Each structure stands twice: as structure tokens, then as C-alpha cells.
Amino acid sequence: MAAGTTAQEQPAAASKNVIVLIGDGMGPAQVSAARTFSKYKLGKNSLELDSYYVGQATTYADRGEDGGTIVSGEVTDSASAGTAFATGHKTYNAGISVSNEDVSEPFGSVIEASELAGKSTGLVTTARITHATPAVYAAHVRNRDNENAIASQYLTDGDVDVLFGGGKQFFFSKEEKGKRTDKTIIPDFEAKGYKVVYDKQGLASLGSQTGKALGLFGNSHVDYVLDRDAKVPNLAEMSQKAIDILSQNPKGFTMMIEGGRIDHAGHANDLSSLVQEMLDFDAAVKVAMDFAKKDGNTSVVITADHETGGLSLSRDNIYEINVDDWDAQQKSSELIGGELKNAKSRSEVKAIVAKYTGYEDLTDAEADFILAGDGSSYKQEGAFNAVMARKYLIGWSGHGHSAVDVGVWAYGPIAEKVKGQVDNTDIARAVASVAGLDLAKASEQLQKEYLYPKFKNSPEGAALFPARALAEALGAQVSWEGAARKVLLTSANGSISVSIDTSSVQWNGGESGLQAQVDHDVLYLPLEAFSKLTGKSLKWDALSERIKLQ
């Protein structure tokens, strides 16, 4: 059972409503860049969030390994960081609100705890709604890339009232063997009472009494600010509509708002897009703060999951930055890079760069560099951004995340609970505390229903599970009979004996008809073996890659 406060010990709520805002990839330099641009280009000396600064948070993940390769530790990804500030628990990179074990348990989030308390809930993002940061609040999978499962869990497991973002491509069903089908699950959301919309006009049509709403504003992520047309809503508009709907519940609401594409611009090293995404996020901060101040019973907390790109606002020993040109780029590097990828000559590269930035002085060496690509997966787009960074007088350390602490801003009763130097897990605990939520109860209920084991598929396509780890997770005992070269699994229901030499499996001394496999010194068994041990009809959910316990 997850650690936490019991329902009897749970304090009274200090805030009826809580709004969590996450700037994905928003490190200190990203905030400074947006403020600097705002000062020089917009005549505004501060950001909306500036006056609410209360401290900073550490972001490290649990150490994780995959096949002997370290996949997480001091540098987190959005899944492990999101799990921390949604559930109060650390996990490995890629894990979506599950524990860091061979047989993982699900952790309840502040959204799921809010649902148990009868509150309304919402998730709003400019990324795919199935992406890591929104997913950690209402889904549980071992790997964040399983976005079809995340969409399916929004439908079958959770009861999130408002879901706004991109990701329409993941709202379809899959066959048992993992093959994609053309059957969309969107009608299933409609049957469950969701009003489904796809553009700004549809968003505007939603009344405050809508109740449940699913907004899918892109097949993948919502377009960058620089690339949006009039049909695409901005983050502030999505946030305002979500608040209008959720605030109708007299018991209150809990919601998360994410500026998801700040991170994507950081990965690409696209400063121009990053600054615009930061301002888009800051406008959503204003929406949240305006509501909180008017409502008088709302806490707001703002932070980031990590920094992305290793941004520095200087370079080459030059004591200045070229802010005057930070708005020269008219489209995102994602769009520009698509054209540069098809360029065949220096002149084509120069023409494309001039078209989108106004720079007509690209050197032959710079054009050749862009033609060749930067040597990363970003190729021509990455090289273009490297050239632009030199012109902007800023720098990047790479295309990944970094381990720097991130800022924390807050308003309302929650502010005192996240003040100073905190860890990202403290965000979840603070939200639960001020809203009177029982995270332990939410985890306990989930853990009675599901386990998330590592597994492998047999040549026939059947799922096989690590015998020791799963047996022990289910309460059985495992021992090794060295002389007989057998593994013995025992429980109150009986015993399973596995011959390592023949892979034969016996149940209570007789033939079981089951077959074992040994892979890299790990014994694997089919789910039927564990059903015998527990006396329960365990079921394998192939889409979500989890075992249903009841």
C-alpha cells in the first residue's frame, strides 16, 4: 500500500479548487528568455507568473535500467517527473504513475483522489492529451509510448470531466496482438456523455453546463503558436473554457494545465518557438490567477517537470544577447526544417532561410552546414537552429533534458507548502493537503485491481511473466531445489514445480499442460500458472499491458 494519510487523518480542505500549471521543459533560462523578449518587444517588464515566485524544486528520477543500460537517474523525463508531482512518488523514466519494480504497482494521483472526493477534474495541454504529463494524472502504463492505452484508460478507468489537447491519432482501438485498427473510440466517449470538439469554434460552443468535454485540437500535438491558424485555440482559451465547466461543481475541482510545446521547442533548440510557447503558457497563468483571485477559494501552483535543451542566454564570450532579432523567425523550425530537408543546394537553403527569417546574409559555410544537418536526429532543423542561435547570441548544450532545479510559483493556501527548496514530489502532497484529498486511498483502490509486470511474448505470441517477481507480488513463495534443478512456487492454493532442464511445469505434482521459458537466467511462466497459484481468474489486458486482479 502506498504511504500517505488515511481517510480518518485527512485534514479539512483549505482550498475547494486547485489548479496546477506545468511548463514542460521550462527551466530558469526559458523563463528569463520570455521575460526579456516581453520587456524589449512587448513593453512589459515582467511575466504574469513573476510575482508568485516562492522557490524551486529538484527534479531527479529514480535510477532505472533496461538491459543493463541506465535509462534514468539525476536527469528526469516528463513521465517520471510527472508521476512525482501527480502522485507524490518517484519512478523511472518512461513510467506513467507506476512503481519502479519488475512487477509495478499503480500510484493514485491527485486527479484520481479528487474523483473519489466527488470533485470535477480536468486536463488541458498543448501537447497530445495522451502525452506523458497529462497521462500521469489519469492513466497507468509501464511505458509512456503506449498512448493508445492511455486514451483507452481515459475512457474505461477514469472519469476526467474535461480533456483538452491534441492526440486524435491515438483515439482508436487495437486488436489483441497489437495491430492497429481503424475503429475510433471517440463515439464511446460520446456515449459516455462527452461533448467532443475539434477546433476553436467547437470549443467556444461549449457551455458552462456541458459537464464532460473532449477537445482534440490536432492529430498529434497542438500546433506551435507560430504555426497556428484561426481554427486552433490557444492555451488560455482552452484553460478558460475548462475552468468555466469545472467550476460548476459545488464540491470543487482539480485540474492540470500544461504548456507542453515549450519542451518540444527546447528539444529542437528553436528559441523563437520557445519564447512564443512561454508567452502562451504565461497567458494561461493569468487565466488561472484571475479566476483564483475572483473565486477566493482556489489554490494555484506553477512549476516545470525539467529543463530542456540546456539553454544559455549568452555565448562566445560576448556580453550581450541579440533580442532585437528574436522575433525574426516567422514559423517554427519544425515547419522550416521540413522544407530544408528537401533542399538540394546552398541557394535553396539560403532562399528558405530568407523566406522565414528575413536573414539574407547566410554564408556558404552556414548553408553547407544546414544541408548536411547537425548530426543529431533533428538533422537540417537542428542545424538551422544552431545557425540561428549564433545570430541570436544564445546557446544550447544539446537536444535533451538537464538536471537543473526548476522554479515554483504559487498563490493561495498552497503557497506556504511549496515555499523554498522543495522536491517535485512535494507538489502532489501539497495539492492533496490543501484540497483535502486522500492519495493513499486512491493508490490502495488501484492496487487492488491491477499489476503492471515486465513481460515477454512467446514465439506463439502469448504473454509470459517473470516467475519469481510476479509470484512474490501475488503473495506466493519461491524457492530453488538445487539438486533437482527445479523452481518451486507455493501458495495456500497449491504448488507449481518447474524443471529448468525440460521447462516442464507441474501443478501439485501432476502435469499442468503449461510450458516455461528461461531467458537470460530469468524463468518465465504463462498467466495460467499464476491463476492456479492465486485461485483467481487473472486476466491479461494486452493493450494496457497489465494484469487485472479482479
Side-chain angles (χ1 to χ4, degrees):
M1 176 177 172
T5 306
T6 66
Q8 290 77 19
E9 298 170 336
Q10 203 68 20
S15 292
K16 184 173 74 170
N17 312 309
V18 179
I19 303 173
V20 181
L21 292 108
I22 305 297
D24 197 322
M26 184 180 72
Q30 282 78 0
V31 176
S32 295
R35 185 186 305 108
T36 301
F37 180 90
S38 182
K39 175 182 176 181
Y40 282 93
K41 291 293 184 176
L42 305 177
K44 183 179 176 183
N45 289 330
S46 62
L47 300 175
E48 293 292 339
L49 58 75
D50 281 341
S51 60
Y52 307 104
Y53 184 79
V54 294
Q56 60 185 22
T58 51
T59 64
Y60 63 91
D62 261 359
R63 183 179 176 88
E65 296 185 11
D66 184 12
T69 301
I70 303 300
V71 296
S72 64
E74 286 299 318
V75 181
T76 189
D77 78 340
S78 294
S80 54
T83 296
F85 52 62
T87 74
H89 293 272
K90 296 285 187 179
T91 195
Y92 59 94
N93 286 350
I96 297 291
S97 293
V98 295
S99 60
N100 186 11
E101 301 166 275
D102 286 350
V103 179
S104 295
E105 291 185 313
F107 294 135
S109 74
V110 293
I111 288 287
E112 291 162 325
S114 295
E115 291 166 1
L116 292 178
K119 293 176 179 286
S120 292
T121 55
L123 300 172
V124 178
T125 181
T126 50
R128 296 191 291 266
I129 194 64
T130 51
H131 220 230
T133 303
V136 296
Y137 285 93
H140 306 271
V141 288
R142 288 193 66 94
N143 193 311
R144 59 179 289 175
D145 292 338
N146 194 356
E147 294 187 55
N148 292 97
I150 292 165
S152 177
Q153 288 184 33
Y154 288 157
L155 174 68
T156 60
D157 295 7
D159 197 27
V160 181
D161 297 287
V162 174
L163 295 161
F164 289 162
K168 183 182 177 183
Q169 63 178 307
F170 290 104
F171 282 72
F172 57 80
S173 60
K174 296 177 77 174
E175 295 177 354
E176 281 297 305
K177 293 185 179 180
K179 295 181 180 178
R180 178 170 176 164
T181 72
D182 293 327
K183 182 183 176 184
T184 176
I185 62 174
I186 291 175
D188 298 317
F189 278 88
E190 292 174 322
K192 199 174 179 179
Y194 284 84
K195 175 68 174 177
V196 183
V197 297
Y198 301 100
D199 54 26
K200 183 184 290 190
Q201 183 177 359
L203 181 70
S205 73
L206 298 175
S208 61
Q209 301 299 323
T210 295
K212 291 183 177 295
L214 171 64
L216 298 172
F217 305 114
N219 197 43
S220 183
H221 303 298
V222 178
D223 287 342
Y224 279 117
V225 171
L226 286 175
D227 301 336
R228 289 178 196 163
D229 60 26
K231 295 180 180 180
V232 181
N234 59 44
L235 187 59
E237 291 165 338
M238 288 189 272
S239 301
Q240 184 64 67
K241 184 61 67 173
I243 290 171
D244 291 344
I245 295 170
L246 298 176
S247 59
Q248 300 306 305
N249 188 340
K251 292 185 178 180
F253 68 85
T254 306
M255 70 180 300
M256 187 282 300
I257 301 168
E258 181 198 21
R261 305 224 66 186
I262 301 167
D263 173 65
H264 303 157
H267 278 295
N269 296 169
D270 181 355
L271 180 73
S272 295
S273 291
L274 185 148
V275 167
Q276 295 304 315
E277 296 302 316
M278 279 290 311
L279 296 175
D280 191 54
F281 177 73
D282 198 48
V285 170
K286 184 178 189 304
V287 167
M289 291 300 183
D290 286 350
F291 171 82
K293 291 175 181 178
K294 182 178 180 180
D295 176 68
N297 201 1
T298 298
S299 279
V300 181
V301 61
I302 308 160
T303 190
D305 43 7
H306 51 75
E307 190 275 344
T308 302
L311 175 62
S312 63
L313 301 184
S314 67
R315 66 175 301 134
D316 303 332
N317 294 322
I318 300 172
Y319 283 50
E320 187 52 275
I321 48 178
N322 187 14
V323 185
D324 285 344
D325 284 359
W326 282 12
D327 59 354
Q329 186 179 315
Q330 298 303 303
K331 294 292 181 180
S332 73
S333 68
E334 183 176 72
L335 186 150
I336 298 169
E339 292 194 23
L340 290 170
K341 183 179 179 180
N342 297 318
K344 305 298 183 184
S345 65
R346 288 176 179 170
S347 59
E348 287 183 66
V349 168
K350 291 181 178 182
I352 293 168
V353 171
K355 173 184 174 182
Y356 289 111
T357 70
Y359 278 112
E360 297 182 348
D361 59 348
L362 210 66
T363 67
D364 288 349
E366 288 172 331
D368 289 343
F369 175 55
I370 293 173
L371 270 175
D374 71 347
S376 77
S377 61
Y378 284 89
K379 301 179 180 178
Q380 287 75 24
E381 180 187 1
F384 164 77
N385 284 327
V387 169
M388 297 305 293
R390 286 194 292 269
K391 295 181 181 298
Y392 297 152
L393 293 179
I394 58 99
W396 302 91
S397 68
H399 291 294
H401 299 171
S402 70
V404 301
D405 291 353
V406 295
V408 180
W409 301 257
Y411 172 84
I414 201 170
E416 284 299 316
K417 297 180 179 295
V418 293
K419 188 176 181 179
Q421 181 70 45
V422 300
D423 183 63
N424 52 12
T425 53
D426 294 318
I427 303 297
R429 298 188 187 105
V431 172
S433 177
V434 299
L437 305 176
D438 194 337
L439 283 172
K441 181 180 178 181
S443 291
E444 183 179 16
Q445 290 199 4
L446 288 165
Q447 290 164 13
K448 288 178 179 177
E449 295 184 43
Y450 299 108
L451 286 175
Y452 295 78
K454 289 184 177 179
F455 71 98
K456 60 171 291 185
N457 287 319
S458 70
E460 296 75 30
L464 301 174
F465 305 93
R468 175 180 291 277
L470 184 52
E472 291 179 344
L474 292 168
Q477 292 75 48
V478 182
S479 60
W480 166 246
E481 297 181 347
R485 292 183 56 76
K486 290 184 178 181
V487 175
L488 187 66
L489 293 75
T490 59
S491 71
N493 292 298
S495 65
I496 290 176
S497 177
V498 183
S499 170
I500 296 301
D501 295 324
T502 66
S503 296
S504 63
V505 180
Q506 290 188 322
W507 169 247
N508 288 338
E511 293 302 320
S512 68
L514 303 175
Q515 200 72 12
Q517 283 192 23
V518 177
D519 186 17
H520 292 87
D521 296 324
V522 176
L523 173 66
Y524 289 85
L525 290 170
L527 193 59
E528 294 91 327
F530 302 98
S531 290
K532 288 179 178 292
L533 274 177
T534 61
K536 298 179 180 179
S537 180
L538 303 177
K539 295 183 179 179
W540 177 237
D541 179 351
L543 177 58
S544 289
E545 298 178 346
R546 63 188 178 183
I547 294 172
K548 295 183 179 181
L549 300 176
Q550 57 182 19

